[in-house]
């Protein structure tokens, strides 16, 4: 039987948010490759091989997965959330582009998953109801000046902005800098949401504003959503109307 490689995402955390299509792919796998904590979300059978690695070594992990598939194994690469959003699917294609030309002939597929931004939005209402964008604050793979340029452009265009990777132990100051920059363009009363462990039983939401937000509230499991000028509260929910006139047509 010839090998295959499918890149999947486990969703934001709770089992019900992993899609049935992803579960079916996992059931057919001979080898599972991924960052340890994501692999821990998957129940492995005794006949399935687990290849856990550290979080930082995405390209190495992608190459291992491709080599296993080339050797005829049914390989599944496991990400959190959606595998295409700041995750392993792109790393796999980077490895294909720079690796063994034979890898281009492999059966490689990507299975969509529920990304953190969608789970976080659902915890609070509909903050992504109008135009939005997603920016990762991690500068492991891009310059901080690039992050700043994109934040500025997104703020000037009045997008709702979902911030992935807002903070980690190695990067404690970036969210503060990002919010400060956004505050030079967006109004101080703009809603800022800190959604931790979205889509899990431990989900926790803090609603703040750009003028008062405490960036130290964010950690590696937090998604930060900065509103557009129309983003507002209604009752205990936060939403962004679909149109720029704020739903008052
Ligand atoms: N592929 C993932 C994102 C990987 S980047 C996805 O589609 O969700 C990792 C970042 O995602 C974290 O630093 C955090 O900002 C966010 N994240 C992942 N799971 C989360 C969750 N359950 N709640 C809030 N944010 C989460």
């Amino acid at each position: 039987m010839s090998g295959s490689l499918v890149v999947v995402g486990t969703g934001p955390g709770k089992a019900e948010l992993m899609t049935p299509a992803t579960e079916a792919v996992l059931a057919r796998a001979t080898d599972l490759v991924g960052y340890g904590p994501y692999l821990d979300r998957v129940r492995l059978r005794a006949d399935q091989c687990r290849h856990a690695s550290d979080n930082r070594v995405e390209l190495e992990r992608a190459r291992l997965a491709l080599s296993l598939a080339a050797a005829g194994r049914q390989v599944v690469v496991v990400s959190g959330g959606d595998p295409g959003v700041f995750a392993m699917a792109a790393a796999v294609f980077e490895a294909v582009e720079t690796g063994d030309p034979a890898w281009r002939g492999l059966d490689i597929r990507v299975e969509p998953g529920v990304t953190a931004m969608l789970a976080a939005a659902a915890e609070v209402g509909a903050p992504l109801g109008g135009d939005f964008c997603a920016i990762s604050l991690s500068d492991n793979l891009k310059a901080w000046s690039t992050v700043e340029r994109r934040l500025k452009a997104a703020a000037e265009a009045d997008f709702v902005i979902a911030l992935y990777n807002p903070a980690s132990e190695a990067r404690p100051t970036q969210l503060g800098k990002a919010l400060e920059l956004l505050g030079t363009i967006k109004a101080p009363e703009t809603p800022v949401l800190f959604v931790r462990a979205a889509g899990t039983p431990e989900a926790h939401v803090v609603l703040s504003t750009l003028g008062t937000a405490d960036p130290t509230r964010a950690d590696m499991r937090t998604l930060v959503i900065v509103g557009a000028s129309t983003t507002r509260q209604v009752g205990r929910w936060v939403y962004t109307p679909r149109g720029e006139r704020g739903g008052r047509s």
Side-chain angles (χ1 to χ4, degrees), residues 92-249:
V92 165
F93 294 114
E94 286 167 33
V96 169
E97 198 170 17
T98 55
D100 184 343
W103 287 349
R104 295 176 190 223
L106 286 172
D107 174 10
I108 302 173
R109 288 188 300 114
V110 179
E111 197 60 65
V114 177
T115 189
M117 174 176 73
L118 304 185
E123 295 285 354
V124 300
L128 306 179
D131 293 339
F132 63 87
C133 67
I135 297 177
S136 167
L137 289 192
S138 170
D139 60 355
N140 289 338
L141 298 169
K142 62 187 170 191
W144 180 250
S145 58
T146 302
V147 177
E148 285 182 330
R149 180 163 53 84
R150 290 177 184 167
L151 287 169
K152 187 163 176 280
E156 277 165 355
D158 199 21
F159 281 109
V160 175
I161 307 173
L163 297 174
Y164 281 78
N165 296 306
S168 74
E169 271 167 35
R171 299 182 294 100
T173 60
Q174 288 167 339
L175 180 62
K177 286 194 268 178
L179 293 178
E180 201 178 302
L181 190 155
L182 295 175
T184 64
I185 302 164
K186 287 178 178 275
E189 59 275 12
T190 305
V192 176
L193 293 153
F194 292 80
V195 189
R196 185 165 197 283
T200 80
E202 304 93 59
H204 181 72
V205 178
V206 173
L207 171 60
S208 178
T209 66
L210 208 41
T212 59
D214 172 6
T216 64
R217 280 190 175 282
D219 65 5
M220 277 175 73
R221 288 192 77 197
T222 307
L223 194 286
V224 178
I225 299 178
V226 181
S229 59
T230 51
T231 305
R232 67 192 71 176
Q233 253 186 297
V234 55
R236 59 196 158 84
W237 300 278
V238 176
Y239 87 111
T240 305
R242 293 162 300 159
E244 60 185 342
R245 293 174 60 200
R248 290 180 290 261
S249 50

Side-chain angles (χ1 to χ4, degrees), residues 27-80:
R28 287 194 296 269
T30 58
D31 294 75
L32 284 83
V33 177
Y35 174 45
Y38 295 146
L39 285 183
D40 291 344
R41 292 183 189 171
V42 177
R43 241 175 292 127
L44 257 72
R45 293 189 311 265
D47 63 320
Q48 293 178 310
C49 301
R50 184 180 195 272
H51 307 266
S53 57
D54 190 72
N55 203 11
R56 294 260 179 140
V57 294
E58 282 112 344
L59 262 185
E60 245 172 71
R61 194 188 300 152
R63 289 190 195 108
L64 167 68
L66 287 157
S67 314
L68 288 165
R73 313 286 297 177
Q74 310 305 313
V75 184
V76 176
V77 175
V78 182
S79 282

